[in-house]
Amino acid sequence: MGKLIVEGPVRLTGSVRVSGSKNSALPILAAALLCDERVVLENVPNLMDIHTMIEILSAAGCRVFFENGVAIIDPPTNPCTDIPYELVRKMRASFNVLGPLAAKFQKASVSLPGGCSIGVRPVDYHLEGLQKLGFSIKIEHGIVTAEMEKKIDEAIISLPFPSVGATEHIMTTAAILDGTHTVIENAAMEPEIEDLAIFLNRAGCRVLGAGTKRIEVFGVKKAHGCIHKIIPDRIEAGTYIIAIAATMGDAIVEGLDVSHLISLFDVLKNSGVSLSQLDRDKVRVSMDRRPDPIKIQVTPYPGFPTDLQPQIIVFLSKAQGTSTVIETVFKSRFQHVDELRRFGAKIEVSDGTAIVYGVERLSGAQVSATDLRAAAALVIAGLIANGTTSVNEVDQIFRGYEDIVQKLSNLSAVIEYQK
Ligand code: EPZ
């Protein structure tokens, strides 16, 4: 595992271009398994997780070509519906190939996803949904096998929590259950769900209501090929916006979709950040002082995203007062707090809530990343701290941030990757 050496403090200036969304490309790559003809995806980010999903599609028998942000997926000639453990273990999103493979080839097996540092991440909503769609589910030796058992005319699936992955998994699987009318209630409303629905409808499927709490899918006989451009990565964009504000910089973020970041913009404006939209996909971020303290509740979209929670805590660690951050999606997603304390941050965590007592300065430290968003937060802390910071076990940051060393260097950061 390598490390990032970051010199601080620095004010970020210049401009940065946002890449395509990891969390849109992954479910759309899984959905490409439904298609009988070539699929061409544009604006696909060059990330470790994308390569993992491409390996899984190849293991399923697809021919996949990926270069310069374009992924071309040809349907399998000899499909394989047993996906090897070592691939699924690497990335939870791999689990979402189970349903499309079973819908297309009647039966499929995928290993249960591992846990991860942001908490226990069960897949019970996924499995209950597949059962309501007419699949039998068997779990043996950590392998889940889904097999088409009976044709369902109508399936009403109410999610106990608006799970992003479960919504995507059920929507994708239902898309080619010919003649089945599926309703997903309490569905997740993230932009990535809408992007997936646009892809499925371009491939000849019939998905209505994506982006709202109620999604309807009218299953069709087959899904054909299509061309689709992946939406910008709102979490990558939000990470850079927070980094520019935290360093009291003045820089441009372009290639984003501003409408995906309303909750972040509200929070930052309330803490004193100046955000001016220069174009549909371009925003100028500037900050000339320590932020005012704020209270944030992390909730499913359109609320403040859990994937920006570690980063906003770093931003608030130097606020002029005490802030509160309540995490309601992954209650134990505070592993980064112990590491932030090593910079001199004053943060208390109890029962899913972080109380952040703003301090005047942080000092550079040796720290270790626990997940990809925590890694990004520790890099931001290194940018605002006095002295040198080493973010160790940092390779997981490349799962979600394309060219992050180059992009931060272009923003005047002094940062180096060491193996
Ligand atoms: C997606 O994960 C994202 N990953 C995560 O981003 C993101 O943090 C999360 O949604 C929440 O927005 C991708 O899109 C690839 P969930 P997912 O199902 O789908 C519980 C990143 O850094 N739950 O919405 O796994 C679960 O435990 C990653 O890019 C069940 O109980 O998240 C959690 O508490 C990290 N049973 C809550 O729901 C289930 O069957 C939300 O999880 C499914 C979920």
Side-chain angles (χ1 to χ4, degrees), residues 28 31-32 35 39 41 195-203 226 228:
I28 288 176
C35 301
V39 167
L41 301 177
D195 202 29
L196 173 59
I198 292 168
F199 168 78
L200 288 168
N201 290 336
R202 277 206 181 119
C226 69
H228 180 79

Side-chain angles (χ1 to χ4, degrees), residues 132-133 152 154-159 181-185 214:
K132 288 193 174 163
L133 291 174
I152 302 289
E154 175 145 284
I156 311 284
I157 300 166
S158 296
L159 294 177
H181 174 221
T182 303
V183 177
I184 305 171
E185 294 176 338
R214 188 176 187 277

